[in-house]
Amino acid sequence: MANVETFLQINADTMAVAERAWRCLEPEMEGILRQFHSRAAEVPGLQSRSEEELRKLMKLQKEKTCLLLTDRLGEQYVQTAMRFALSFRERQLPLGWYIASSMAIAEIIGQRLKSHPNLSESDVLSLNNAVLKLVAVDISIASTAYTAALLD
């Protein structure tokens, strides 16, 4: 993972910006995740969920997003990301759906940051850049876990 971080130029400044992004996004997460799940519900073949199942999943997704943006890519975050990737495998969803889901959530996050009333355009660019770099790391971790499960 260190090579990916180096390649993406993720450093202590990136992580500090990501933590700031979380502080802006935390109050918006339910809306972000509802928007994402609304989009997912439109795709034939994706499992529909009861409201209770959706609430539980959204809680886990919020926790994972919090760890992604605040845990500085620590062990707790990495283990959580790997479990999420393996859950896609267990539901027999291709890795591509994990990648597409990650990018859809990142897109919605970018929209929310852009519409945030207390952020300048340069703030939005900086925050979104940090989020996108960390989403790329997340996808890298997930891909590794998913592929390893296929090889077992």
Side-chain angles (χ1 to χ4, degrees), residues 127-151:
L127 296 171
N128 200 47
N129 187 44
V131 169
L132 290 175
K133 286 181 178 189
L134 292 177
V135 167
V137 171
D138 179 80
I139 291 169
S140 176
I141 292 167
S143 298
T144 300
Y146 193 98
T147 302
L150 286 175
L151 297 176

Side-chain angles (χ1 to χ4, degrees), residues 46-47 49 57 84 86-94 101:
L46 289 183
Q47 296 172 337
R49 300 179 188 278
L57 177 57
F84 262 82
L86 293 176
S87 74
F88 272 68
R89 176 79 184 112
E90 289 164 4
R91 293 188 337 244
Q92 299 181 347
L93 290 170
S101 295

Side-chain angles (χ1 to χ4, degrees), residues 18-76:
E19 289 173 8
R20 182 173 176 226
W22 175 249
R23 290 190 301 274
C24 294
L25 293 167
E26 183 177 17
E28 301 283 329
M29 283 306 297
E30 182 170 348
I32 289 167
L33 293 170
R34 288 229 175 251
Q35 186 176 347
F36 166 75
H37 285 287
S38 176
R39 184 187 294 189
E42 296 174 7
V43 177
L46 289 183
Q47 296 172 337
S48 60
R49 300 179 188 278
S50 70
E51 185 59 31
E52 181 181 339
E53 291 171 322
L54 185 59
R55 275 195 308 275
K56 286 179 184 177
L57 177 57
M58 287 173 49
K59 181 179 184 279
L60 293 172
Q61 288 172 315
K62 181 179 178 180
E63 290 169 2
K64 178 179 173 268
T65 304
C66 175
L67 287 171
L68 174 64
L69 299 177
T70 65
D71 192 46
R72 298 183 175 261
L73 302 175
E75 188 62 27
Q76 184 181 5

Side-chain angles (χ1 to χ4, degrees), residues 88 93-103 143 146:
F88 272 68
L93 290 170
L95 179 59
W97 276 115
Y98 186 95
I99 295 168
S101 295
S102 298
M103 294 311 299
S143 298
Y146 193 98

